[in-house]
Amino acid sequence: MKPVEPVENEVKKGNLYGLGIGPGDPELLTIKAHRILTSVPVIAYPTMESGKVFARAIVADFIRPDQIEVPMPLPFSVERSSQPYYDIGAEKIAEHLEAGRDVAVLCEGEPMLYGSFMYIFNRLSKRFHTEVIPGISSTFASAAMLGAPLTFRNDVLSIMPATLEAETLRDRLAVADAAVIIKLGRHFAKIKTILQELNLFERALYIERATLPNQVIKPIAEVDPDNVPYWAIVMIPSQTNPQ
Amino acid sequence: MKPVEPVENEVKKGNLYGLGIGPGDPELLTIKAHRILTSVPVIAYPTMESGKVFARAIVADFIRPDQIEVPMPLPFSVERSSQPYYDIGAEKIAEHLEAGRDVAVLCEGEPMLYGSFMYIFNRLSKRFHTEVIPGISSTFASAAMLGAPLTFRNDVLSIMPATLEAETLRDRLAVADAAVIIKLGRHFAKIKTILQELNLFERALYIERATLPNQVIKPIAEVDPDNVPYWAIVMIPSQTNPQ
């Protein structure tokens, strides 16, 4: 007996996945992110107007030719707001979801921690079933690459962007048991001065592009402030480390 | 022509791996952690004197009968120092490494963030080649499960244990743009009072055992302070979230 086909008045909407894909080493994807990435029909990712597509590069070996790719251009200049760009990207993704196709949006590192996916999440999570898959943050991958235990027991950890004003950075660093300063780039000289003022410079560790083939680890005293990439991190591990 | 066998006077030492195995869902292991876990001859993990072996349970389906298992008992009571226990565990691991066998030490969550592996790292990383594989922290897995973007742009994030004194918690929370309070357990009532004093209680989110089958999410106002597990987290997402 042939089963009766259900009458469907409308297409079932697709699922939206925010995929944390980690700091750069493709092996640092989770099994779950890999499974979703290789099973969805549509993959979306931010691209820079300059042509850089870092998120896609991390997982390039896992993408198949039959998967639809949706690049989402973002402005190259930090002077321009990226919000109108996310409006356009979100609508391109929504078209696939409305047509019943699941979409995985690639997000470097951990999506909920300064992640680009949050802007898509804010635009679409009320309209479509949305699942966020956590990823390895470059913050903690850096601690692993540096071989530096970060926090013990009762330590407070603060994660802060180097883009903040010097006074705020100084106040937060002064009370943190352990700290990670991200998004260094052209702010390195300011950070160096603050760390010296707080007697933290000797404890600080420096790493560029953690887990990537061009990763650099060097003593912080040898860093040239004029050549610090955005993807550099300064880490101040806890001193309560029991030996 | 047969190659000359190299003369070896001593056994090559094994490699020590600190494996971050994530918050509980086995699919949140990284591809790298899974590869190492399934290829090493020896797997070590902490166990409680009470018999609980949470870390092993996460990856139980990946362990083969031919792999050697090294349980490392830790004291059940927080009154007793765990350091002598780690001395014993580290020596059991060192015996395998000296004999040339690679050892993977399981560590819940992220090893460098309040992780048990750091105590093994401190004891053995100077004697043996050591590699730390970062894992998904329950902190960020909680944000994903709660559907709560945590930090944007210039936000400072603070991660703090509920075990701290009320005054310290109050001071740190007062200046954090976003915060995660871990290790709640019997400290929930204290945290609730502080959050109410700082007008943060309405913004706070509550989750138990993120990503596990018995995960619980409920409004923080409905939490019974007498029944909060150690693995519960309170999260205060950033308010700068652009909608």
Side-chain angles (χ1 to χ4, degrees), chain A residues 19 29 33-40 43 59 62 67 106:
Chain A
L19 285 198
L29 250 74
H34 182 267
R35 171 174 61 80
I36 292 171
L37 176 65
T38 53
S39 63
V40 291
I43 299 169
V59 299
F62 302 136
Q67 290 179 302
L106 308 182

Side-chain angles (χ1 to χ4, degrees), chain A residues 164-229:
Chain A
L164 284 166
E165 288 188 12
E167 195 182 333
T168 309
L169 287 163
R170 198 180 293 110
D171 289 351
R172 301 293 176 275
L173 284 168
V175 295
D177 300 307
V180 183
I181 308 169
I182 59 174
K183 306 183 188 182
L184 278 179
R186 62 198 171 81
H187 301 280
F188 182 83
K190 172 180 67 180
I191 298 297
K192 181 173 180 175
T193 305
I194 296 167
L195 293 176
Q196 286 170 330
E197 286 170 6
L198 295 171
N199 284 322
L200 293 173
F201 193 65
E202 304 294 316
R203 271 169 65 193
L205 304 172
Y206 176 88
I207 184 169
E208 298 173 4
R209 304 184 191 84
T211 82
L212 284 165
N214 57 350
Q215 169 182 298
V216 172
I217 292 176
K218 56 179 148 188
I220 190 164
E222 292 174 16
V223 174
D224 171 8
D226 294 328
N227 284 299
V228 174

Side-chain angles (χ1 to χ4, degrees), chain B residues 177-191:
Chain B
D177 300 307
V180 183
I181 307 168
I182 60 173
K183 307 183 187 181
L184 279 179
R186 62 197 170 81
H187 301 279
F188 182 83
K190 172 179 68 179
I191 298 297

Side-chain angles (χ1 to χ4, degrees), chain A residues 2-19:
Chain A
K2 217 176 156 186
V4 179
E5 293 281 321
V7 179
E8 291 205 341
N9 288 320
E10 55 182 286
V11 178
K12 191 176 176 302
K13 289 178 182 176
N15 297 306
L16 173 62
Y17 298 101
L19 285 198

Side-chain angles (χ1 to χ4, degrees), chain B residues 28 40 71 78 82 88-89 129 138 148 161 164 167 175 178 188 190 194 196 220-221 224-225 227 242:
Chain B
L28 291 179
V40 291
V78 292
S82 54
I88 297 168
H129 179 262
S138 60
L164 285 166
E167 195 182 334
V175 295
F188 182 83
K190 172 179 68 179
I194 295 167
Q196 286 169 329
I220 191 165
D224 171 9
N227 283 298

Side-chain angles (χ1 to χ4, degrees), chain B residues 22-39:
Chain B
D25 176 353
E27 257 205 309
L28 291 179
L29 251 75
T30 62
I31 298 170
K32 186 168 188 176
H34 181 268
R35 170 174 62 79
I36 292 171
L37 176 65
T38 53
S39 64

Side-chain angles (χ1 to χ4, degrees), chain B residues 147-179:
Chain B
L150 197 51
T151 53
F152 293 84
R153 296 194 182 109
N154 282 346
D155 289 328
V156 177
L157 172 69
S158 283
I159 302 175
M160 62 194 79
T163 46
L164 285 166
E165 289 188 12
E167 195 182 334
T168 309
L169 287 163
R170 198 180 292 111
D171 289 351
R172 300 293 177 276
L173 284 168
V175 295
D177 300 307

